């Protein structure tokens, strides 16, 4: 394939928000540099972008921005690239012998579109059927947050959440639905403020119609507290 065609293909892949793999595409040397070294380099990159745009970085309001953005990239919004940040896999024995579905819904998702580096904001709903192992409820929020804090594609985020919980819970019976707004769609390009994107991944028993239907009905429940 000619190189121009390749570039065109990659660009349309990005525009259509299609990811290429369920693993985050990281290079083998991704963690050779320390976080502090990364912050120093990114700081210069952000300064370069701002200066190229013609901004005056001696202005008090702008002078701290390169450092602030670099720290935010490395430690916060892309902090989930670091495998050391993965929530520990503490699980418990299912003492109540609760064999029904457990649903944790409306988990807040703050992520970043890897094609435009703009926010993805939404909710994740997770369900699993225990085969003897359970996790603390907050663990599910932490797993969502860990995978969300990466440059992401919503489909991949949904699959990564399910795969991690399948591993931790030692069962295939895990499902996740993510409903999120992409600011690259809502605030630029086509500027559709109302639209949101729904992605789902159903493992094990959740591939059965009745089980899947039960999960989706729980998500629809609008309980008043
Ligand atoms: Zn985007």
């Amino acid at each position: 394939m000619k190189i121009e065609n390749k570039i065109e293909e990659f660009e349309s892949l990005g525009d259509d928000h299609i990811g290429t793999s369920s693993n985050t595409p990281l290079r083998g040397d991704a963690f050779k540099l320390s976080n502090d070294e990364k912050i120093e380099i990114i700081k210069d990159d952000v300064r370069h972008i701002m200066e190229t745009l013609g901004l005056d970085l001696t202005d008090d309001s702008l002078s701290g921005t390169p450092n602030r953005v670099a720290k935010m990239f490395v430690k916060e919004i892309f902090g989930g690239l670091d495998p050391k940040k993965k929530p520990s896999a503490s699980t418990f024995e299912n003492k109540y012998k609760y064999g029904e579905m457990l649903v944790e819904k409306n988990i807040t998702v703050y992520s970043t579109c890897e094609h435009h580096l703009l926010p993805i904001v939404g909710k994740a709903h997770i369900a699993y059927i225990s085969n003897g192992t359970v996790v603390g409820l907050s663990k599910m929020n932490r797993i969502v947050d860990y995978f969300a804090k990466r440059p992401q594609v919503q489909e991949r985020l949904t699959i990564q959440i399910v795969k991690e919980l399948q591993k931790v819970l030692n069962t295939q019976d895990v499902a996740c639905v993510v409903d999120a707004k992409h600011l690259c769609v809502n605030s630029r390009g086509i500027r559709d403020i109302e639209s949101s994107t729904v992605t789902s991944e159903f493992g094990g028993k959740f591939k059965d119609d009745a089980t899947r239907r039960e999960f989706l009905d729980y998500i629809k429940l609008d309980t008043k507290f």
Side-chain angles (χ1 to χ4, degrees):
M1 189 187 281
K2 279 206 302 202
I3 197 99
E4 302 90 85
N5 291 350
K6 261 228 142 92
I7 291 169
E8 220 166 81
E9 186 191 286
F10 289 148
E11 284 191 341
S12 75
L13 202 72
D15 283 344
D16 293 340
H17 293 91
I18 300 162
T20 47
S21 154
S22 71
N23 291 322
T24 299
L26 276 171
R27 290 197 321 270
D29 61 354
F31 301 102
K32 259 188 168 166
L33 296 172
S34 69
N35 279 352
D36 287 344
E37 288 168 324
K38 288 180 184 178
I39 288 168
E40 277 309 305
I41 295 169
I42 294 171
K43 200 161 91 180
D44 287 342
D45 296 332
V46 176
R47 181 180 301 114
H48 187 219
I49 292 171
M50 295 175 73
E51 280 171 354
T52 307
L53 290 169
L55 292 164
D56 178 5
L57 271 89
T58 62
D59 188 281
D60 279 352
S61 175
L62 298 178
S63 61
T65 302
N67 189 45
R68 203 176 294 116
V69 171
K71 268 166 71 179
M72 178 184 73
F73 272 16
V74 174
K75 296 194 165 173
E76 295 176 80
I77 66 172
F78 301 140
L81 288 170
D82 185 349
K84 291 202 289 283
K85 294 262 181 74
K86 192 197 264 189
S88 64
S90 56
T91 50
F92 312 92
E93 192 191 331
N94 182 3
K95 290 217 176 90
Y96 319 108
K97 302 287 174 238
Y98 179 76
E100 297 297 322
M101 184 185 304
L102 187 145
V103 180
E104 170 105 354
K105 58 184 202 175
N106 295 323
I107 300 170
T108 303
V109 172
Y110 282 115
S111 191
T112 306
C113 156
E114 72 181 19
H115 302 127
H116 300 93
L117 300 186
L118 281 172
I120 300 172
V121 183
K123 297 284 181 190
H125 314 284
I126 298 174
Y128 73 89
I129 300 167
S130 172
N131 72 352
T133 305
V134 292
V135 283
L137 296 180
S138 68
K139 170 77 65 185
M140 291 193 266
N141 302 61
R142 282 198 212 103
I143 288 173
V144 169
D145 201 49
Y146 169 68
F147 288 106
K149 286 200 162 77
R150 297 173 172 200
Q152 268 296 10
V153 175
Q154 190 176 320
E155 293 88 331
R156 186 200 296 131
L157 172 64
T158 313
I159 293 169
Q160 286 177 331
I161 292 166
V162 168
K163 280 191 166 172
E164 179 62 18
L165 277 163
Q166 285 174 328
K167 209 165 71 189
V168 169
L169 289 161
N170 193 27
T171 175
Q172 289 299 300
D173 305 336
V174 178
C176 177
V177 170
V178 177
D179 185 2
K181 283 180 176 287
H182 292 235
L183 261 64
C184 51
V185 177
N186 300 135
S187 73
R188 54 161 293 287
I190 193 114
R191 281 180 187 257
D192 185 341
I193 304 169
E194 293 302 321
S195 69
S196 73
T197 305
V198 180
T199 47
S200 59
E201 177 75 4
F202 301 105
K205 290 182 185 151
F206 287 94
K207 291 192 194 296
D208 301 337
D209 278 349
T211 310
R212 178 162 54 208
R213 173 63 34 215
E214 188 185 338
F215 171 41
L216 297 176
D217 284 346
Y218 288 137
I219 295 178
K220 272 190 288 187
L221 274 182
D222 188 16
T223 318
K224 297 277 178 266
F225 297 100

